[in-house]
């Protein structure tokens, strides 16, 4: 997993709440057996019309946001299905950071396993960032070490993050390798585990 | 100190606890299906890792499987995904109930059926509706594919302890109102984010009165309320359901039962949050929008923008109604449907099929409506056929299919065409869930059956009353 610390880019303002993983990656694209190649299907039914042409009104298709690495959305981002194809599509498309007031649990966990930083800010702060980004392209710098989001206009927003996941993202660690260090404890647990015949 | 069941199960599964880290939890049962596992097995191979406890894993095929002719998989990518699961299970020594196997079915239907699901277990699966197994007093939750890989190789997961919530469903359910209506009412009342960061325990008289199958319907949709998991304390019904099941304890069953019952929340225990709802006020529900909280009772109407305060909510309503092709203020009973889907891990068990069959018996599906029944497992299908339910459905004009996830998410060929409307007993009415442009209305099996006959939503209670008088 690619380590992450500082990401600076124009934001992509997706002013919607309850964005579910069916929208992020639709079921017809879940049949691949690889982790890569999902980026072109990200938000497919919002991005393209029935004939496969780009929908010019959808935010990802607007030229001013091309190359953006930071997605900003409303409450409960990533709700619904557990499909990790959703963060794979987000990462493959080029986003490294998602800013929202809240995230659905499974999606939130999935982000950490893939080197995506989910940043939780207060609702009014997200509203402010979205408003700026919708008016004209707005660039921010996200700094994981400092736990800050700094706007091009000097606005600074602080965020909290679980220290365990922070370390993991900063170092790009493989969680399974870390867990193997506790193998003795797993073995000991297995010996005393309650099992009925 | 009095403890709730969530705390009891969590504490008994901590392998390692350390300040500044999540808890390392042991996982007792890992259910696997074809869609969210291939990348996890590939990860193991690339790192040269093994499956730590293949004996604690059980795999099936459900998401992609065809329901007409099970052996004809026309989609080559789906076919590859299924053959990949076969290869992976053979290579790593995991039991698989594949296509044509008598144990095959939707992963959340077969777990309880086989007695793999038991009180007090930690159960995970790369599928968000794993919360279903909570009906047995198990701590069951959906995980992503990286976590699937982590469980395969270590049989553990790092998890921050969520907060606990009690949802007390007081009183008795009204005539013709079902478990599906309870959970849709809960989500409509408090929203799809109500459970974020929590595990929910459902309690109260109305929950105690539910059968195990009905309890599964409630716990199944905990994820639709945003919760990590949802569960119900075990009682005698739980014990009796499991007695004699293939993977349930045999010679130590009584000892196991005693332990299971001891896991129930202690009198006087506390939760981080408590919500209450009165069962007697719940009507049969129908969703009108594009998330499960956008629903109302059958006597209700689609809301208007004036019903909402914030601009974001007004905008969300406009977008939902535009997608759904509905008008503000439209009565629910005026909504006409073209499709009916009875199935999914929410409502595809024998009791669901019995309820629906009771309503369609001797009647005909309305002209222009295509209705399908997809039993949750091979064994549900067989049991239903032994009772003659298949004949009742077929005579009424329903299609009788083989088991799988089917039109709940439309990964196989069971797709609702764009712009058409489906009364569905499944769990998600998201945009495009049942097919690009498809319009989903979530309802109970009874309401879906009545809608099939009338071609629009009707109050199933009137139907059932006629039935009683006849």
């Amino acid at each position: 997993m690619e380590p992450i610390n500082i990401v600076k880019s124009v934001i992509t303002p997706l002013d919607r709440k309850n964005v579910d993983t069916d929208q992020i990656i639709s079921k017809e694209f879940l049949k691949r057996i690889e982790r890569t190649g999902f980026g072109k299907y990200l938000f497919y039914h919002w991005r393209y019309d029935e004939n496969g042409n780009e929908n010019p009104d959808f935010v990802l298709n607007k030229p001013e946001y091309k190359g953006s690495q930071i997605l900003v959305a409303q409450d409960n981002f990533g709700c619904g299905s557990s499909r990790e194809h959703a963060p794979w599509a987000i990462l493959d498309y080029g986003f490294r950071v998602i800013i929202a007031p809240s995230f659905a649990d499974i999606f939130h966990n999935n982000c950490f396993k893939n080197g995506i930083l989910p940043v939780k800010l207060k609702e009014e702060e997200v509203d402010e960032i979205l408003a700026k980004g919708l008016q004209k392209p707005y660039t921010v710098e996200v700094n994981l070490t400092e736990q800050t989001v700094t706007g091009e206009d000097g606005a600074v927003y602080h965020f909290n993050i679980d220290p365990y996941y922070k370390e993991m993202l900063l170092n790009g660690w493989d969680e399974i390798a870390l867990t193997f260090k506790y193998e003795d404890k797993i073995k000991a647990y297995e010996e005393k585990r309650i099992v009925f015949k | 100190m009095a403890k709730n069941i969530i705390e009891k199960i969590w504490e008994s599964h901590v392998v390692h606890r350390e300040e500044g880290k999540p808890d390392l939890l042991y996982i007792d049962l890992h259910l696997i299906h074809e869609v969210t596992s291939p990348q996890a097995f590939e990860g193991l191979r690339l790192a040269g890792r093994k499956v730590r406890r293949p004996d604690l894993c059980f795999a099936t095929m459900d998401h992609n499987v065809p329901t007409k002719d099970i052996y004809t998989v026309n989609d080559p990518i789906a076919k590859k995904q299924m053959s990949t699961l076969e290869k992976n299970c053979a290579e790593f020594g995991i039991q698989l109930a594949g296509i044509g196997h008598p144990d095959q079915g939707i992963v959340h239907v077969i777990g309880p059926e086989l007695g793999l699901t038991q009180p007090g277990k930690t159960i995970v699966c790369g599928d968000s509706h794993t919360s279903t197994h909570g009906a047995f007093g198990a701590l069951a939750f959906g995980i992503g594919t990286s976590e699937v890989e982590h469980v395969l190789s270590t049989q553990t997961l790092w998890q921050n302890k969520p907060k606990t919530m009690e949802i007390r469903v007081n009183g008795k359910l009204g005539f013709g109102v079902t478990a599906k209506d309870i959970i849709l009412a809960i989500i409509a009342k408090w929203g799809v984010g109500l459970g974020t960061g929590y595990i929910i325990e459902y309690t109260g008289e109305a929950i105690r009165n539910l059968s195990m199958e009905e309890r599964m319907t409630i716990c199944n949709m905990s994820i639709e309320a945003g919760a990590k998991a949802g569960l119900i304390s075990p009682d005698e019904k739980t014990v009796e359901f499991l007695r004699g099941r293939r993977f349930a304890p045999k010679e130590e069953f009584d000892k196991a039962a005693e332990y299971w019952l001891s896991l129930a929340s202690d009198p006087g225990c506390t939760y981080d949050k408590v919500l209450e709802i009165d069962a007697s006020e719940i009507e049969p529900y129908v969703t009108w929008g594009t998330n499960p909280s956008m629903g109302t009772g059958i006597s209700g109407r689609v809301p208007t923008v004036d019903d909402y305060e914030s601009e974001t909510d007004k905008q969300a309503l406009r977008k939902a109604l535009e997608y759904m092709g509905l008008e503000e203020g439209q009565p629910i009973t005026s909504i006409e449907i073209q499709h009916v889907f009875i199935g999914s891990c929410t409502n595809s068990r024998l009791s669901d099929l019995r309820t629906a069959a009771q309503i369609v018996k001797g009647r005909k599906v309305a002209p222009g409506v295509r209705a399908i029944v997809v039993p949750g497992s091979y064994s549900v299908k067989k049991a239903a056929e032994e009772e003659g339910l298949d004949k009742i459905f077929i005579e009424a004009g329903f299609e009788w299919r083989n088991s799988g996830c089917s039109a709940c998410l439309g990964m196989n060929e069971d797709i609702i065409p764009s712009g058409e409307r489906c009364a569905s007993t499944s769990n998600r009415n998201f945009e495009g869930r049942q097919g690009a442009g498809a319009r989903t209305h979530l309802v109970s099996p009874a309401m879906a059956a009545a809608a099939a006959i009338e071609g629009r939503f009707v109050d199933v209670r009137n139907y059932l009353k006629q039935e009683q008088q006849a």
Side-chain angles (χ1 to χ4, degrees):
Chain A
M1 171 171 103
E2 188 93 358
I4 179 168
N5 185 20
I6 294 168
V7 178
K8 185 177 179 179
S9 104
V10 65
I11 65 151
T12 299
L14 182 66
D15 189 11
R16 290 200 189 210
K17 64 179 186 182
N18 302 321
V19 173
D20 59 75
T21 51
D22 274 81
Q23 306 319 315
I24 298 172
I25 184 84
S26 191
K27 70 329 191 72
E28 58 268 45
F29 310 116
L30 302 183
K31 293 168 191 164
R32 297 166 56 86
I33 56 171
E34 300 85 22
R35 282 179 200 251
T36 52
F38 291 97
K40 52 183 177 288
Y41 308 120
L42 177 67
F43 295 120
Y44 191 84
H45 294 291
W46 287 348
R47 245 164 102 191
Y48 302 101
D49 67 16
E50 284 166 20
N51 305 317
N53 300 315
E54 278 195 6
N55 164 15
D57 295 332
F58 187 59
V59 66
L60 261 66
N61 293 330
K62 296 193 176 176
E64 58 266 39
Y65 304 125
K66 289 277 183 226
S68 166
Q69 297 179 68
I70 303 170
L71 182 66
V72 185
Q74 294 281 16
D75 254 334
N76 201 26
F77 187 86
C79 60
S81 155
S82 64
R83 58 188 72 164
E84 199 162 313
H85 312 70
W88 294 337
I90 286 171
L91 188 68
D92 196 55
Y93 180 84
F95 290 118
R96 294 300 308 274
V97 178
I98 309 166
I99 301 175
S102 65
F103 294 88
D105 284 335
I106 305 176
F107 179 83
H108 195 239
N109 275 342
N110 284 342
C111 285
F112 295 121
K113 319 290 177 189
N114 290 284
I116 298 170
L117 169 60
V119 172
K120 273 189 219 174
L121 292 180
K122 292 191 192 89
E123 205 174 322
E124 55 270 27
E125 293 172 334
V126 172
D127 283 344
E128 201 175 292
I129 295 172
L130 279 171
K132 289 176 188 173
L134 286 166
Q135 208 174 36
K136 62 181 179 64
Y138 181 59
T139 298
V140 304
E141 183 179 286
V142 178
N143 185 318
L144 177 56
T145 307
E146 301 293 327
Q147 298 179 205
T148 54
V149 177
T150 309
E152 60 180 32
D153 52 356
V156 183
Y157 310 91
H158 292 269
F159 63 90
N160 290 323
I161 183 166
D162 187 292
Y164 172 78
Y165 291 117
K166 179 177 175 177
E167 278 298 296
M168 209 152 81
L169 286 175
L170 284 171
N171 296 291
W173 279 331
D174 167 9
E175 199 181 30
I176 297 173
L178 289 181
T179 309
F180 278 139
K181 292 182 190 161
Y182 300 92
E183 211 177 345
D184 288 350
K185 296 199 89 168
I186 299 173
K187 247 184 221 156
Y189 182 90
E190 282 176 331
E191 276 158 26
K192 67 173 178 70
R193 211 176 135 242
I194 304 169
V195 181
F196 297 101
K197 282 176 199 144
Chain B
M1 208 184 85
K3 278 187 179 172
N4 65 47
I5 182 172
I6 302 161
E7 293 160 338
K8 291 185 198 183
I9 302 177
W10 191 282
E11 291 308 317
S12 67
H13 285 82
V14 176
V15 171
H16 176 76
R17 178 171 280 167
E18 189 180 328
E19 184 72 22
K21 276 191 180 159
D23 286 341
L24 187 63
L25 284 192
Y26 199 80
I27 302 303
D28 295 316
L29 175 63
H30 186 190
L31 299 167
I32 295 164
H33 65 82
E34 75 276 22
V35 175
T36 58
S37 66
Q39 293 88 350
F41 284 111
E42 186 59 17
L44 291 190
R45 263 192 294 270
L46 290 172
R49 290 168 179 155
K50 288 185 298 202
V51 174
R52 182 178 180 87
R53 294 293 300 266
D55 58 319
L56 300 182
C57 300
F58 193 94
T60 191
M61 294 180 192
D62 55 5
H63 282 62
N64 274 336
V65 299
T67 60
K68 273 187 187 163
D69 172 5
I70 55 171
Y71 296 107
T72 308
V73 184
N74 292 319
D75 178 347
I77 316 175
K79 198 170 186 171
K80 187 166 182 206
Q81 208 167 44
M82 290 189 255
S83 63
T84 302
L85 181 63
E86 266 169 16
K87 269 186 237 143
N88 285 333
C89 287
E91 181 182 339
F92 291 98
I94 293 170
Q95 280 195 77
L96 168 69
I99 288 184
H101 191 284
D103 294 336
Q104 183 272 341
I106 304 176
V107 66
H108 310 309
V109 175
I110 65 168
E113 225 169 53
L114 295 170
L116 287 162
T117 305
Q118 292 167 22
K121 276 191 179 181
T122 46
I123 302 176
V124 297
C125 175
D127 188 279
S128 60
H129 292 109
T130 307
S131 59
T132 312
H133 307 266
F136 291 79
L139 185 60
F141 52 93
I143 56 177
T145 298
S146 295
E147 289 178 312
V148 168
E149 187 178 337
H150 193 279
V151 177
L152 286 173
S153 52
T154 69
Q155 205 57 37
T156 63
L157 273 180
W158 295 96
Q159 293 287 311
N160 279 314
K161 196 172 174 179
K163 287 180 278 188
T164 59
M165 184 189 294
E166 179 187 17
I167 298 185
R168 211 177 291 160
V169 188
N170 296 317
K172 289 190 169 62
L173 272 183
F175 172 75
V177 185
T178 68
K180 182 65 163 284
D181 304 307
I182 298 181
I183 191 65
L184 286 174
I186 287 172
I187 299 168
K189 190 173 167 111
W190 289 294
V192 287
L194 108 96
T196 308
Y198 287 89
I199 295 175
I200 300 171
E201 180 182 359
Y202 302 94
T203 68
E205 186 188 353
I207 299 292
R208 284 288 133 229
N209 288 340
L210 296 176
S211 69
M212 290 312 296
E213 297 199 345
E214 292 171 312
R215 291 179 187 181
M216 288 188 239
T217 300
I218 302 263
C219 291
N220 171 274
M221 289 190 70
S222 301
I223 183 70
E224 262 52 70
K228 170 111 193 154
L231 47 64
I232 293 170
S233 282
D235 58 14
E236 286 302 332
K237 283 185 194 169
T238 321
V239 171
E240 288 318 310
F241 183 99
L242 289 171
R243 193 184 293 276
R245 303 255 166 195
R246 194 175 338 143
F247 290 92
K250 296 280 175 326
E251 61 256 47
E252 291 185 327
F253 187 84
D254 290 342
K255 208 171 134 195
E258 195 184 323
Y259 168 70
W260 294 341
L261 294 172
S262 78
L263 294 168
S265 289
D266 298 329
C269 69
T270 56
Y271 302 83
D272 296 304
K273 194 172 182 178
V274 178
L275 298 173
E276 289 190 67
I277 186 166
D278 185 350
S280 66
E281 287 172 8
I282 299 172
E283 276 194 287
Y285 254 67
V286 180
T287 66
W288 47 261
T290 52
N291 76 46
S293 75
M294 294 172 156
T296 185
I298 182 66
S299 65
R301 289 167 179 270
V302 173
T304 66
V305 282
D306 298 335
D307 296 332
Y308 295 92
E309 277 170 23
S310 81
E311 200 37 56
T312 314
D313 288 340
K314 286 178 197 284
Q315 195 52 31
L317 175 72
R318 285 191 201 102
K319 280 205 164 110
L321 295 189
E322 189 193 333
Y323 180 84
M324 293 298 290
L326 295 172
E327 300 294 327
E328 290 180 45
Q330 186 176 342
I332 296 297
T333 49
S334 72
I335 301 173
E336 293 181 354
I337 51 116
Q338 294 79 42
H339 299 264
V340 171
F341 170 59
I342 298 178
S344 88
C345 57
T346 314
N347 282 125
S348 64
R349 298 179 181 84
L350 191 57
S351 59
D352 298 316
L353 305 191
R354 281 179 184 153
T355 308
Q358 187 198 341
I359 288 157
V360 306
K361 190 173 184 175
R363 296 189 167 102
K364 291 280 178 211
V365 169
V369 173
R370 180 176 176 230
I372 66 171
V373 184
V374 183
S377 68
Y378 178 81
S379 104
V380 168
K381 181 172 188 259
K382 219 172 109 211
E385 287 172 355
E386 277 163 17
E387 291 182 16
L389 301 185
D390 57 328
K391 289 195 185 66
I392 296 175
F393 283 115
I394 292 166
E395 274 165 24
F398 277 80
E399 293 174 42
W400 178 252
R401 298 288 188 86
N402 292 293
S403 65
C405 298
S406 180
C408 171
L409 83 166
M411 274 195 78
N412 67 356
E413 285 147 345
D414 305 336
I415 285 172
I416 309 302
S418 184
E420 297 191 13
R421 225 175 263 296
C422 181
S424 180
T425 66
S426 56
N427 41 58
R428 288 192 176 129
N429 50 348
F430 296 152
E431 284 182 30
R433 173 79 179 178
Q434 297 192 291
R439 294 162 173 169
T440 304
H441 297 271
L442 303 177
V443 285
S444 70
M447 285 288 285
I453 304 301
E454 294 294 326
R456 64 184 175 89
F457 290 111
V458 292
D459 192 335
V460 70
R461 291 173 295 188
N462 299 334
Y463 249 83
L464 291 166
K465 269 179 209 149
Q466 283 173 20
E467 199 87 350
Q468 278 187 339
Q469 283 159 4

